[in-house]
Amino acid sequence: MLNSTGELEFSNEDNPEIISQLASLALCGGKSSAGVPEKTGYPDSVYVMAANIFQGIRIEKSAQKVLIKYGNEPLRSLSESEDQSFRRLSYELAFSALKYQDILETMLIDSCIFPSTTIPDHLSSLIIVMLYDFQDRKFQTRVLSDNEESISEVQEVENLLNSFKIKLAAALARCRIKHDALSIYHILPETVRKQELRASTLPLYAWINTCKISPEEVYNNLKRRGYHKVKSVLHVDDKVFAVDQHCYDVLIFPSHLQNDLINIDLFKDYKLIFQDKSRSLAVHSVKALLNMDDDILMVNTGSWYTVAHMSVLTNNNTSKVFVCGVQSQAKDPDLKTLFTKMGCKNIEILHDLFINIESKDHRLQKVKVILLLPRCSGLGVSNPVEFILNEHEDTEFLKDHSQGGISEDKLHILAQQQYEQLTHAMKFTKAQAVVYCTCSVYPEENEAVVKKALEFQDLGNKVQPYRLSPPVLPLCSLKEIQLSTDKFFRVEPSEITNGCFISILTRERDPSETVSVKDVLARAAAKGLLEGIELGKSSKREKKKKKSKTSLTKAATTDNGIQMKIAEFLNRETKASANLSETLTKPPLPQKNTAQVGASSQTRKPNKLAPNPTVPTFMKSTCPSRPRERQAHLMRPRPEDRMVALKPIEIVLPPVFMPFSSPQGIRSQMPAQHFYCHWVAPKALVPTSLPTPSLARKGEKPKDDTPSSLLRPPRPWL
């Protein structure tokens, strides 16, 4: 029991008017509570969990300044709830008590609770967190629910605070007057106040688990629940959502909708997952650097949701996601259950610290991209409680935020750890890129670490050196472009997002590891990614290349035999052409033109050489073998890349009226004979034994002494 020598003295002075005046004096000028319901307190289990959290993150003072002693034993809780809302309330209460630790301790001493009462040391943390909630409720009595299970330690501390509420209110008023502040909120450092202001408007970010649902289905589901899609959710009180500009699978919601969203099926079934945007930016940067079957190594991921997001983005590839740093194998069943619920199948857990993993580890030979999320000060985060709940359990993160800064010694230690991890990542010879991401606003943890690692990287191995690459994420504003001029991607803390820093280090791929397109397709077909696509048939170009290579290899051995066959063929063709030339010396005029046009259309083959000018044209076109062409091809092969398949162009000319010697009247009664000539794109004409008319040039008048030149029909096409 808590005993106090002055408890009876002040317990009878329960004057509501005095208490109200002192409480209003202590809290006047504070944050506006218009439209916000009055606080009624927390369940007993929340106080206990918050006290245990505060016990681990409280600011320790020197022995000369210690006025209140804290025990080392945690309080026993009746049930360890895993409910997210329960944990959020506990962390928020502990973090608030941490920010006002000095003020709350001063109130306890000024009100004579310490050292006049005999209080066990292990209850000091519980008194601090309950005192903060007591003054936040303006020293009003807590409202208890009927079905709530009470905890004896909480009841004892609550009775003690109620008995000293007049003195506590007076101590709070004196503290406010001493600091000349409108409220205790204004006693906080300016950086902390700015963080709280940004946290009050910071929207919620959630990524879509495309392994279980498509974005269109999510949009339709939200619209059925009354949500509307907008471009910006800032300063909007309705049920709205927007799509992020940097990450296509990330949705943005106003912060006041959190309690409504966590109760819908989309979040309960892991179809939508709350997470800080900086982590989504990191995994999307990795996705932009991946090939189809590249593996990823993730370091210091913190939240398993980050790993799941990386797995979802690579679900359609054959990539594996390796996660290192899981020292306890007892967590494996829980993690596998979580990943199974989320539909992730390509995650492999390594029970080794990253710094202890060898760069030549056989399991990581296909790792091409390393995602490094080192522990940092994280002062770019506006709402540290949400960041801890969604990212990692490092409660030291709250201590730095409660003071609005970090000491130089601790900053130097963090920067050295980050440098060691980055240089170790650059030692993996098979890796081609490293993505370095922090939530810090200090250059010592960002640019300085990257530049130092690039300057002192080991160049002794037979690998290409790393270099700084520009961001792979879209730059959506002029400010982002200006912040990325030095090839670093930065997002400053604001009312819409937390701060973020991303650096991408890349190097050229080893030439010995380059593979052809045919090898990539064969590998994809072996893994079942090219269903229904036949890869057995080779292209025409490959066939021509193979044919030319085969002919070149056989040319040296069969050259004599080919020459003999060519000579025999020429003698045979010469005799045949002599006989045909006698029968075709005097053809009729219409048939002569038709034969000439037909012969010319048949002889115009692309890039063909005429072996013998005495051979008739149509005989050459029907010849089954072309020894001269083959010989020319063997003598000077042409590169296949320069060959262009020429397509003949057919142009139908208007009808040509042939002249007759009969009178005009008789000729008009006879049916006109129309000849349609097909003309092919002009090329160099092959000389033949038959005479061919010359082609008229554009703009020149045809010269013809025949009577037909006097009676030309109109030619509108000229």
Side-chain angles (χ1 to χ4, degrees), residues 99-167:
K99 288 186 293 185
Y100 298 100
Q101 179 179 345
D102 290 340
I103 299 174
L104 297 174
E105 289 179 352
T106 301
M107 290 174 59
L108 291 174
I109 295 173
D110 194 17
S111 63
C112 299
I113 292 182
F114 283 95
S116 60
T117 57
T118 305
I119 302 176
D121 293 344
H122 70 280
L123 293 181
S124 297
S125 297
L126 182 60
I127 293 176
I128 290 292
V129 297
M130 293 190 67
L131 176 58
Y132 171 80
D133 178 59
F134 193 34
Q135 64 84 28
D136 197 32
R137 289 185 282 114
K138 300 181 180 181
F139 301 99
Q140 299 300 316
T141 305
R142 180 170 62 118
V143 178
L144 301 175
S145 60
D146 297 334
N147 57 354
E148 182 180 344
E149 188 175 2
S150 62
I151 300 176
S152 59
E153 291 85 352
V154 175
Q155 298 298 323
E156 293 177 5
V157 172
E158 187 173 24
N159 293 334
L160 174 66
L161 295 178
N162 283 327
S163 64
F164 279 87
K165 57 185 173 182
I166 296 178
K167 286 193 171 184

Side-chain angles (χ1 to χ4, degrees), residues 443-458:
E444 292 84 353
E445 296 182 279
N446 298 334
E447 298 93 335
V449 172
V450 175
K451 292 179 180 179
K452 183 180 178 181
L454 289 174
E455 181 180 359
F456 295 100
Q457 62 178 313
D458 186 11

Side-chain angles (χ1 to χ4, degrees), residues 474-543:
L475 303 178
C476 303
S477 65
L478 180 60
K479 187 176 182 180
E480 291 182 0
I481 296 175
Q482 294 173 350
L483 292 174
S484 304
T485 53
D486 52 356
K487 296 184 179 181
F488 295 114
F489 183 85
R490 299 183 183 89
V491 177
E492 293 184 343
S494 64
E495 59 183 356
I496 60 174
T497 182
N498 289 324
C500 179
F501 172 85
I502 296 178
S503 176
I504 297 177
L505 307 180
T506 60
R507 62 183 172 193
E508 297 293 335
R509 187 180 292 270
D510 189 356
S512 61
E513 296 182 2
T514 57
V515 294
S516 62
V517 177
K518 183 179 179 180
D519 295 335
V520 173
L521 293 176
R523 187 185 306 171
K527 295 180 179 180
L529 300 179
L530 301 177
E531 296 181 359
I533 300 178
E534 296 181 1
L535 299 178
K537 298 181 180 179
S538 58
S539 62
K540 294 182 179 179
R541 179 173 293 182
E542 292 179 355
K543 290 182 178 180

Side-chain angles (χ1 to χ4, degrees), residues 86 93 107 204 235 329 345 352 393 438 474 479 482 659 680 696:
F86 175 86
L93 181 57
M107 290 174 59
L204 304 172
H235 307 301
Q329 297 186 5
K345 301 178 181 179
D352 302 298
E393 296 292 339
T438 72
K479 187 176 182 180
Q482 294 173 350
V680 184

Side-chain angles (χ1 to χ4, degrees), residues 372-411:
L372 185 59
L373 301 168
R375 180 176 176 268
C376 62
S377 60
L379 291 181
V381 177
S382 301
N383 193 338
V385 172
E386 286 295 333
F387 191 80
I388 283 182
L389 292 175
N390 296 329
E391 298 306 320
H392 54 73
E393 296 292 339
D394 188 4
T395 53
E396 287 289 328
F397 191 75
L398 295 176
K399 185 182 294 186
D400 298 332
H401 274 263
S402 66
Q403 304 302 310
I406 186 174
S407 63
E408 292 186 1
D409 294 339
K410 188 172 183 179
L411 182 62

Side-chain angles (χ1 to χ4, degrees), residues 39 210 307 314 319 435 459 516 545 548 632 701:
K39 297 183 179 180
T210 53
V307 181
T314 59
S319 305
V435 178
L459 301 177
S516 62
K545 288 183 178 180
S548 61
K701 296 182 179 180

Side-chain angles (χ1 to χ4, degrees), residues 167-367:
K167 286 193 171 184
L168 289 172
L172 179 60
R174 287 191 294 269
C175 182
R176 183 190 61 80
I177 296 173
K178 178 181 178 181
H179 290 87
D180 192 19
L182 296 176
S183 68
I184 62 173
Y185 169 76
H186 293 87
I187 302 177
L188 295 175
E190 183 179 1
T191 54
V192 177
R193 296 201 305 269
K194 288 182 178 180
Q195 288 177 358
E196 289 193 358
L197 182 61
R198 292 196 302 265
S200 62
T201 61
L202 190 68
L204 304 172
Y205 290 87
W207 54 271
I208 302 174
N209 185 357
T210 53
C211 288
K212 305 189 70 174
I213 193 171
S214 65
E216 290 74 16
E217 292 175 338
V218 173
Y219 303 156
N220 295 333
N221 192 311
L222 291 174
K223 289 179 181 179
R224 287 194 299 268
R225 296 178 179 273
Y227 287 83
H228 303 284
K229 186 178 180 181
V230 296
K231 292 184 177 180
S232 175
V233 300
L234 193 61
H235 307 301
V236 179
D237 296 332
D238 297 333
K239 299 175 68 173
V240 296
F241 70 95
V243 180
D244 186 69
Q245 295 180 335
H246 298 96
C247 307
Y248 60 87
D249 62 341
V250 174
L251 301 184
I252 312 174
F253 298 91
S255 57
H256 69 272
L257 298 175
Q258 183 172 14
N259 293 332
D260 181 61
L261 290 171
I262 60 179
N263 295 321
I264 65 177
D265 295 337
L266 289 176
F267 287 90
K268 290 182 178 180
D269 298 337
Y270 296 102
K271 296 177 181 178
L272 276 177
I273 294 92
F274 283 123
Q275 194 166 28
D276 186 69
K277 181 181 175 179
S278 61
R279 295 307 185 238
S280 297
L281 292 173
V283 296
H284 273 273
S285 298
V286 174
K287 178 65 170 61
L289 299 170
L290 288 176
N291 291 323
M292 185 178 59
D293 57 348
D294 292 344
D295 292 345
I296 308 106
L297 176 62
M298 303 184 67
V299 184
N300 296 339
T301 55
S303 172
W304 296 113
Y305 291 154
T306 307
V307 181
H309 196 182
M310 188 77 261
S311 174
V312 169
L313 289 179
T314 59
N315 183 53
N316 294 329
N317 299 359
T318 57
S319 305
K320 282 187 178 181
V321 180
F322 292 93
V323 186
C324 61
V326 185
Q327 301 181 18
S328 176
Q329 297 186 5
K331 295 183 178 181
D332 285 1
D334 297 336
L335 293 178
K336 291 181 180 179
T337 302
L338 174 64
F339 294 146
T340 301
K341 291 181 179 179
M342 301 183 71
C344 303
K345 301 178 181 179
N346 58 342
I347 300 175
E348 186 169 338
I349 300 175
L350 305 178
H351 299 283
D352 302 298
L353 292 175
F354 174 65
I355 204 68
N356 297 330
I357 297 178
E358 296 292 336
S359 59
K360 297 182 179 180
D361 194 311
H362 67 280
R363 299 169 296 182
L364 309 177
Q365 293 306 301
K366 291 181 61 179
V367 169

